[in-house]
Amino acid sequence: MRVGSPSASLGFALRREAGLLARDRSVWAWWLVVLCLSVLSVSAGLFEVHHQKAKLARLVEADRADRVAVLKAQKDWGGAAYYSFHLTYDAPSDFAFAALGRRDDTAWMHRVRMLALEGQIHERDAGNPVLALIGRFDFAFFAAFIVPLVLIVLLHDLRAAERLAGRHDLLVATAGQAAPLWRLRAGLRASGVFIAAALPMLVAAGLSGTPLRTVVVACGWLLSYVLFWTAACAALAAWQQAGEVILATLLGLWILLGIVVPAAGRMAIDRVVPIPSGADILLTQREAVNDAWDLPKAATMQPFIERHPQWAAHATVERPFEWKWYYAFQQVGDQKAQALSEAYTAGRKQRDRLAAWLAFIAPPVLLERSLQALARTDVQASLAYEARVRAFHAGLREFYYPKLFRDEPFAPAALEAMPRFKAGADRD
Amino acid sequence: MKPLLFIAGAEWRYWQRSRLALGAAVLLAVLLVATTVLTALRMQGEAADRAHHQAEAEAAFLSQPARHPHRMVHYGHYVFRTPAPLARFDPGLDPATGQSIFLEGHRQNTAMFAASGDSADLGALSWLSPAMVYQLFAPLLLILLGHGLIVREREAATLATLLAQGAAGRTLLAGKALALLSVVGLLLVPMTASAALGVLAGDSSLAAVALLLAYGLYLSIWGALALLVSAMLRRRSAVLAALVTLWIALTVVLPSVATSLAAIAAPMPGKLETDLSMLADLRKLGDGHNANDPAFAQLRADLLARHGVQRVEDLPVNLRGVVAQFGERKLTETLNRYASAQMAAEARQAAALAVHGWLTPLLAVAEASRAVAGTDLAHHHRFLREAEALRYAFVQGLNKVHAEKLAYSDDVRRSGDAAAEERTRVDASNWQLLERFAFAPDPAGQRIARALPQWLMLGAWCFLLVGAGLWVGNRLKP
């Protein structure tokens, strides 16, 4: 073997570094810490998903039993529609354990009925605000915020420590080239961190039956993220400064990218994209629904027919109270609030789009958002669920309108054909 | 005292020469001032917005035309939670809880439209407030400034000289502690401004002082930790690594882990789930819209007997209105029973989280800060209860009008008889029974007392660390 050939010297350096590393107990301790925290984050996620699934299973059954009991007592279509509630929900995905995301602070379950939807869809059956404020210890938080801190502690004083210990020049002299030595050293330490962080997630993914593609993409994101921080640490560690200066600078970078940029970005985006106040949507809808009682019936039926011309022939209301008129003004209430409601949804979408762009200059946010997107626990998923609830509610109206407007005789057996909420109907 | 001042002064001169110390201090100062100004502006805007919405909702209710009183029960009303004056320092739960509730007959709606639900989603730590800067970042500055306090002298071999010259270890430690304490005092300046704004906006100065005290204790704890580790380890880099590790564990990892643990230790049934069993209970109560519901047969018989008449038409009151009052009372009892159970479950979960304040002072100070600022769970729950009290008052007020000002014979015929319908409309002056809603925080003394466990936690941390400092000071070795 010719001394000095690149591959031979690399092999030698690798063996030497691996040997040094194997005896460095502090590095092993940090890997163990990462492993433990990853296990903790993943188990907390698995527990929460299990809890949500169990709750959902109980509710699906209770909701069905409640509806059956209520429908038994009904004597007309209007009453059946009025008294029967329908559970809608967004079941946790098979990767939700890794990123609980928005499921903590936005509603993922509703019970709706055929009344004006705007009065129902903004109900929040959200969890405890105290817990939502701090946020759970899920894998996404662990990976985005804690892994870089560990990398910073592990890698900031690679050179400074050796300099301090007086080994720096010896190491560089015996390694041949200096740059690969430090890269190798940083790479080995970072790989350990990556493996310790990813392993528990892989096990949990196996347990939850996560599709391989999701797991591979998640690992890809994590790997690129670890590479980013390793490169940042290595670049700063090459700086001829004391270890404390390097450490402080890296911590400053973590704060800047993980907290200051996102916080400033949130404020800026919320200012740039105004959304109608939720209270205004409800007020508009309420005024419309309540006014209908005092207005002539035609004032309700007219705007209703404009949207549903197929019922024009059946739209005369003769008695003081008819169910078809009652549901027509519920629908007109939604129609009046529609512009505001659509602006509210569009505004949230636009804010999320801008946040997605901003995340490119804030890697911790990028990783957290990417994992949430994979787990379908992000804003997009929450908006998609809302759209599914709207579609289901529209289906309910389509089911009852023919019966109400044609004044069909009440036939409980026909209720069997009532639309049922399908979990994740629009998913791939 | 003189040697202490001398030692502290020497430390200040050292910091003035250190670019790292200066840089970090300037950055933190910028961050503090920026978040203080931005949060104050945001919360002031929120307060004005919600007060405006509240006034609008009240005006809308009062300007309703003459109509049947039960229509107003369904027309309903809105209440908005105005943020506490000190929310400009610590918004607390404000972004995570709904800010408005729609109040109507027969139902308790949830507080809707939390800011966290419609704001841009930029990660777990993006709700930056002055309180959070103090909780998370101020400790880092103390670590940067404090980690070298003793170990620097040790590495430069000046510690041996100092001790040999007769400076007691304790005196040295106390002087260094004094230097760090003066930094804590300086750090509290932007907060004082924030708290003063809160006092100007109407909060008590007692609360402002308590808030300063809580953060003063918290930052002193971090200063003491830095000093102790600096006195115990031999190498400066080891001290810094240990302190940063401690910071990561206590401020980033533990609070979040504790949140997950609390969710596991005190699970909470969701509102939908309890609503289902509540609905079943409510159906047993009878429908207050229907005076012929068998559930009200006893009420009707009692009423007829009390007035000595045979027919409901001969009663001096409108049976429908009486039934509505009775039905609403029974229904509200059930609703309140479920609502209290839900609040108790939330409070249990929050307590399961708060108990971790013994392990990390961050959770202790965060909870104390929210309690004193009036932005904690207790205040949110009081908002819910006050909203419910207002709901019940105006609904029952309207039902009373329904019972006393409407003739039963008109009321039963109004669906088919336009003239009778006209007579069931009561004058709009009746809507004046609506009470004005204004949400204000609890008295300062009560808020401070509520944080008692947190004061004990912070006190215990301080006590332990001072004890440890004395112990280490006696054994300080070069």
Side-chain angles (χ1 to χ4, degrees):
Chain A
M1 184 167 60
R2 212 157 47 95
V3 179
S5 90
S7 64
S9 76
L10 187 70
F12 165 72
L14 189 65
R15 271 198 306 281
R16 185 173 79 158
E17 279 304 315
L20 285 174
L21 197 62
R23 286 192 297 276
D24 192 339
R25 259 182 289 167
S26 77
V27 173
W28 280 96
W30 274 110
W31 286 348
L32 190 66
V33 166
V34 170
L35 185 72
C36 290
L37 288 177
S38 182
V39 168
L40 198 62
S41 72
V42 163
S43 358
L46 281 176
F47 177 86
E48 178 59 26
V49 167
H50 172 75
H51 179 69
Q52 291 186 358
K53 279 187 177 155
K55 179 160 138 184
L56 197 53
R58 282 198 305 275
L59 267 174
V60 166
E61 181 43 35
D63 169 73
R64 200 194 53 79
D66 181 73
R67 194 166 44 249
V68 168
V70 164
L71 285 176
K72 251 185 214 147
Q74 298 313 316
K75 310 234 162 12
D76 53 12
W77 296 116
Y82 184 87
Y83 289 103
S84 60
F85 285 87
H86 304 263
L87 183 72
T88 63
Y89 53 90
D90 184 21
S93 75
D94 40 25
F95 192 57
F97 71 86
L100 297 165
R102 304 268 58 78
R103 294 178 77 81
D104 249 357
D105 63 2
T106 50
W108 51 272
M109 284 197 292
H110 289 89
R111 278 188 94 210
V112 296
R113 51 177 166 167
M114 218 178 89
L115 304 187
L117 183 60
E118 292 302 333
Q120 308 177 65
I121 202 162
H122 305 293
E123 284 277 334
R124 338 179 33 234
D125 175 26
N128 196 332
V130 182
L131 268 53
L133 191 69
I134 300 178
R136 307 217 182 196
F137 191 66
D138 61 0
F139 183 76
F141 177 79
F142 160 75
F145 291 97
I146 294 169
V147 165
L149 285 174
V150 173
L151 287 171
I152 289 172
V153 173
L154 265 181
L155 303 179
H156 77 277
D157 64 348
L158 280 187
R159 291 182 203 204
E162 295 296 356
R163 231 177 262 132
L164 204 65
R167 288 192 303 251
H168 181 269
D169 295 345
L170 176 74
L171 268 171
V172 173
T174 49
Q177 289 160 292
L181 166 76
W182 303 117
R183 251 181 257 151
L184 195 61
R185 189 167 273 201
L188 279 174
R189 290 183 177 203
S191 325
V193 170
F194 171 73
I195 292 168
L199 260 187
M201 190 264 280
L202 292 176
V203 173
L207 289 175
S208 320
T210 315
L212 189 63
R213 196 185 140 270
T214 308
V215 180
V216 171
V217 175
C219 284
W221 279 113
L222 182 64
L223 187 63
S224 344
Y225 187 64
V226 168
L227 277 177
F228 165 78
W229 278 103
T230 308
C233 292
L236 274 171
W239 196 15
Q240 294 279 341
Q241 286 283 349
E244 53 174 7
V245 177
I246 297 171
L247 179 60
T249 313
L250 281 167
L251 283 179
L253 188 69
W254 179 87
I255 292 172
L256 181 75
L257 298 182
I259 303 175
V260 175
V261 169
R266 172 197 292 283
M267 251 183 247
I269 291 174
D270 287 357
R271 188 155 285 247
V272 171
V273 185
I275 56 171
S277 119
D280 284 338
I281 302 177
L282 291 186
L283 273 162
T284 310
Q285 183 264 136
R286 168 186 72 155
E287 297 286 333
V289 168
N290 276 283
D291 285 351
W293 290 94
D294 290 332
L295 295 171
K297 305 279 191 277
T300 294
M301 299 318 278
Q302 193 52 42
F304 179 80
I305 294 302
E306 276 166 24
R307 200 64 76 84
H308 296 85
Q310 67 269 40
W311 305 119
H314 305 272
T316 34
V317 181
E318 279 142 11
R319 278 160 290 164
F321 180 88
E322 281 184 39
W323 280 115
K324 64 180 178 191
W325 163 71
Y326 180 80
Y327 290 113
F329 74 63
Q330 299 287 334
Q331 165 105 46
V332 172
D334 278 348
Q335 279 170 214
K336 289 228 170 102
Q338 191 180 6
L340 276 176
S341 171
E342 279 170 359
Y344 183 64
T345 306
R348 283 181 294 164
K349 263 192 190 139
Q350 177 65 11
R351 283 180 175 184
D352 193 54
R353 256 197 301 275
L354 291 180
W357 280 109
L358 191 90
F360 282 103
I361 58 165
V365 180
L366 185 64
L367 181 75
E368 217 182 10
R369 286 180 57 98
S370 309
L371 290 177
Q372 286 172 0
L374 276 178
R376 295 200 193 94
T377 55
D378 55 350
V379 174
Q380 294 294 335
S382 154
L383 288 170
Y385 161 66
E386 215 178 287
R388 285 209 303 282
V389 178
R390 288 181 189 280
F392 170 72
H393 190 265
L396 266 185
R397 284 177 164 158
E398 266 164 44
F399 172 75
Y400 279 111
Y401 282 162
K403 299 174 170 39
L404 293 167
F405 281 86
R406 292 206 198 100
D407 216 1
E408 287 176 14
F410 186 61
L415 290 172
E416 289 296 313
M418 194 188 291
R420 278 171 223 286
F421 183 78
K422 288 185 202 66
D426 66 343
R427 286 193 181 159
D428 47 15
Chain B
M1 195 63 205
K2 212 165 172 198
L4 292 192
L5 286 177
F6 180 77
I7 296 168
E11 203 58 41
W12 268 100
R13 282 190 292 282
Y14 172 78
W15 285 332
Q16 277 166 10
R17 288 195 307 271
S18 154
R19 272 192 307 163
L20 177 65
L22 282 179
V26 167
L27 278 181
L28 186 71
V30 169
L31 202 57
L32 272 177
V33 171
T35 48
T36 300
V37 171
L38 289 174
T39 311
L41 287 177
R42 183 163 67 86
M43 291 322 285
Q44 257 157 15
E46 282 287 322
D49 259 10
R50 292 185 211 165
H52 170 72
H53 269 114
Q54 187 66 65
E56 248 183 11
E58 268 152 19
F61 189 93
L62 296 178
S63 68
Q64 290 305 300
R67 54 164 65 135
H68 192 283
H70 197 71
R71 293 279 328 291
M72 288 305 285
V73 167
H74 284 282
Y75 180 77
H77 180 46
Y78 278 93
V79 288
F80 292 83
R81 188 190 56 221
T82 28
L86 285 175
R88 63 202 76 205
F89 172 74
D90 188 354
L93 296 188
D94 194 79
T97 47
Q99 301 140 356
S100 64
I101 307 187
F102 177 48
L103 308 176
E104 58 182 324
H106 332 318
R107 276 173 68 82
Q108 285 180 353
N109 293 311
T110 51
M112 291 195 247
F113 299 110
S116 64
D118 50 35
S119 180
D121 180 17
L122 281 158
L125 300 175
S126 62
W127 287 99
L128 203 53
S129 66
M132 198 170 139
V133 176
Y134 276 103
Q135 292 163 16
L136 279 182
F137 306 144
L140 270 183
L141 182 70
L142 289 168
I143 288 175
L144 280 182
L145 294 184
H147 78 280
L149 285 176
I150 305 291
V151 80
R152 188 182 74 237
E153 312 271 11
R154 187 178 278 142
E155 278 191 340
T158 47
L159 185 59
T161 326
L162 277 170
L163 292 175
Q165 279 170 351
R170 268 188 193 186
T171 315
L172 187 64
L173 228 52
K176 302 278 187 180
L178 186 66
L180 265 189
L181 272 181
S182 63
V183 176
V184 170
L186 260 184
L187 272 173
L188 291 178
V189 169
M191 178 176 171
T192 313
S194 204
L197 273 178
V199 172
L200 283 180
D203 210 326
S204 100
S205 41
L206 182 62
V209 170
L211 207 55
L212 280 166
L213 179 67
Y215 283 91
L217 286 174
Y218 175 68
L219 295 180
S220 304
I221 289 171
W222 276 105
L225 280 172
L227 185 61
L228 270 179
V229 178
S230 182
M232 286 183 333
L233 296 184
R234 310 214 61 84
R235 272 175 37 223
R236 189 169 176 157
S237 56
V239 173
L240 191 60
L243 283 171
V244 167
T245 306
L246 207 58
W247 176 78
I248 297 172
L250 295 185
T251 65
V252 188
V253 177
L254 260 175
S256 184
V257 169
T259 303
S260 284
L261 292 181
I264 295 170
M268 209 178 72
K271 186 172 183 304
L272 272 190
E273 203 165 1
T274 48
D275 273 3
L276 261 165
S277 47
M278 183 178 77
L279 270 178
D281 280 1
L282 289 181
R283 287 202 191 98
K284 288 182 211 141
L285 293 178
D287 180 359
H289 290 110
N290 180 3
N292 295 320
D293 196 310
F296 306 121
Q298 187 62 42
L299 175 75
R300 171 199 293 248
D302 289 351
L303 205 60
L304 290 173
R306 189 158 8 117
H307 292 282
V309 294
Q310 298 296 316
R311 301 181 323 138
V312 288
E313 285 82 356
D314 301 331
L315 284 171
V317 288
N318 178 357
L319 177 70
R320 284 190 163 195
V322 176
V323 165
Q325 273 178 298
F326 179 80
E328 192 71 34
R329 181 161 59 81
K330 287 282 168 199
L331 174 128
T332 304
E333 280 166 15
T334 306
L335 291 179
N336 283 345
R337 200 173 66 241
Y338 278 92
S340 321
Q342 177 77 14
M343 286 187 224
E346 278 185 8
R348 257 199 312 280
Q349 209 171 48
L353 173 66
V355 81
H356 292 88
W358 292 108
L359 298 179
T360 163
L362 180 124
L363 281 175
V365 79
E367 183 63 37
S369 167
R370 287 196 294 266
V372 174
T375 53
D376 59 346
L377 189 67
H379 279 85
H380 180 59
H381 283 167
R382 190 163 63 78
F383 166 66
L384 296 179
R385 279 196 301 272
E386 281 183 11
E388 168 54 24
L390 180 81
R391 184 196 78 83
Y392 188 67
F394 87 75
V395 168
Q396 289 299 57
L398 290 166
N399 283 338
K400 189 160 180 279
V401 171
H402 190 175
E404 293 171 0
K405 298 196 178 169
L406 266 65
Y408 179 75
S409 51
D410 288 335
D411 209 13
V412 288
R413 275 185 300 146
R414 74 188 143 102
S415 304
D417 178 344
E421 201 275 335
E422 191 59 43
R423 284 196 296 275
T424 60
R425 297 187 181 210
V426 298
D427 186 72
S429 65
N430 286 295
W431 313 154
Q432 292 292 342
L433 58 84
L434 182 76
E435 286 163 44
R436 304 296 181 273
F437 187 82
F439 185 73
D442 289 332
Q446 210 173 324
R447 282 182 268 159
I448 295 167
R450 192 174 296 125
L452 179 67
Q454 280 70 37
W455 296 117
L456 291 177
M457 290 167 190
L458 291 173
W461 273 88
C462 282
F463 183 77
L464 276 179
L465 288 172
V466 169
L470 291 176
W471 191 81
V472 168
N474 276 343
R475 286 160 190 73
L476 197 61
K477 298 224 173 59

